[in-house]
Amino acid sequence: MIFPNQRRRAEIRPAVGRAWFFSSSSVGFASESFIPVDVAADMEKIEEQFANLHIVRRSSEPKEPTYLLGIDSSKTTQVEKGSLVAVLCSNASVRIYDKETLNVLREFNGSPGLLNGVRFANSSDNVYSASTDGTVKCWDARLASEKPVQLFKGYPSNIFISFDINCKDHVICAGTEKVDDDALLVFWDARNASQDSSTRDPLGAYSETHSDDITQVRFHPSNPHMVVSGSTDGLVNVFDISVDNEEDALVATCNSVSSVSCIGWSGRDYKQIYCMTHDEGFCWWDLNHLETDEPITCLNIQDVREITDGKEGPLDYLIGGLYHEKMDRLFVIGGTNTGRIHLMSCTSAGLTHVTSLQGGHAATVRSFCWNLPEDSLLTGGEDAQLLLWKPVAVEKTFPKKDSLKIASSVQQRVRVHSSGSYKRRKQQ
C-alpha cells in the first residue's frame, strides 16, 4: 500500500454526470398499494421487529450532564466481563459503559483538543477518537489510564473532525477542516507491530479531492482497501487505497449538492453508499453501476422533512442510516426535537415509515448504535441519557429526563439539526 506525500491533482470521475437526480417532489413515501406481496410480507416482519423494541436500561445520572454525540460498541466477546460501549460526550471526553448495566466504568479526556467521532477497533477493546489538536487518540477501554496508549500525529495545522479505522485494524484515515487551501485525508499504519513508539507519524495524505471540511470518513465493512469520504463541499468520494496514488485511487465521485453530515455503506457486499446532509437531504448511490450505462443514483431527496406524511408526527432531523444485513434492507433513522425516533425503510421508490420509538428521550437524539446479533439498539441524545432498546421487553420504572439546555464548546462546533428555517419556509 503506497500513499503519496507529494500533491497530485486527482481526476474527478464522471459519476455525477451519469447519475439521475430527482426533485424532492418526485420521490416520497412509497404507496402500500404498489408494494409487491413478498415485499409487503418482509416489511411486516421488519415493522414487527422494530415495533417490539422497548427500553430495558437507562444510564445512571452522570456527574456532569453532557450531550451524547456518538456511540460505538465493542466487537470483541468478553463472556466474563460483558460488552463495552463507548460514548463521545460534549465535554470533550469518551465515556466507557458496561453494556448490560449502562453504568459508567471510566472516562477518557481528549484535552487539549476537542474530540470528534468514536470507534472501537474490530479485534480489540481499543477505542479511538479524532481530535482538533491534530491527533487521533487511542485508549485501552479496559484500563483506567489518563493517557492514550497510542497517539497518531498529523501534519502541522491539521484539525481532525472525522476519522475511521479499517476492518482489519491496519489503517486509520482522518479528515481535516479546511485550513488555507487544504482539506486532507491523512493515513496512518495502526498495526501494533509496525512501530515501537506509542506515537505514530502519517503514511501520507490525499489533498486534491475535497475543497472544504471533510466531515465524514467510513471504511468498507469487509474490504480493508475501500474508503468513502464526505465533505461540506457536497462531494462523496470513494477510494481504493491499495492503488499507488491519489489520482488513480479515486474510484467515484458523487455529488450530494449540499454539506455532508453522514455517510455509510449498504447493500449486498456493501456496494451501495448512502449520504445525509446538514439540511436534511438524503442520497443513495449504487456502485454496481459504475461500469454500466445504468444511473448510479437510486434515490435523491432534497429535504426528507417535506415528504413525511405526518401520521406519526413531524420529522425534524435525520440521525443516520442502518443497513440490516439479515433483511438486506437500508433504514433511515430520524427524530423530533421532543425525542421521538422515526425508523423509515429505504427503497428506490422512496422512504416508507416503519415505526416510531417514543417514551425514551426528552430531547434531540444525536446518536445510535445497532447490534445485529441481538437486534438491540443504543441511543443517546441531548438529555444526557444512554438508552438500550431490545425486542419484547418491559422497561423498569425510571423518570424521563428533560433536555439539558446546555451550551458547550463542542456544541458550538457541531452543526445542530434545526427545523426552524424549514418551518419558516412552509409559512411563507
Side-chain angles (χ1 to χ4, degrees), residues 291-311:
E291 304 301 327
T292 73
D293 293 331
E294 295 293 322
I296 67 168
T297 300
C298 302
L299 188 64
N300 183 283
I301 304 173
Q302 294 179 355
D303 191 335
V304 172
R305 295 168 298 183
E306 294 181 346
I307 65 168
T308 55
D309 55 13
K311 294 179 181 178

Side-chain angles (χ1 to χ4, degrees), residues 108-140:
F108 302 117
N109 195 304
S111 179
L114 303 177
L115 299 178
N116 291 285
V118 64
R119 184 76 62 182
F120 270 102
N122 295 279
S123 57
S124 71
D125 285 324
N126 287 344
V127 63
Y128 299 81
S129 190
S131 176
T132 58
D133 67 0
T135 67
V136 174
K137 296 177 169 67
C138 171
W139 295 272
D140 187 334

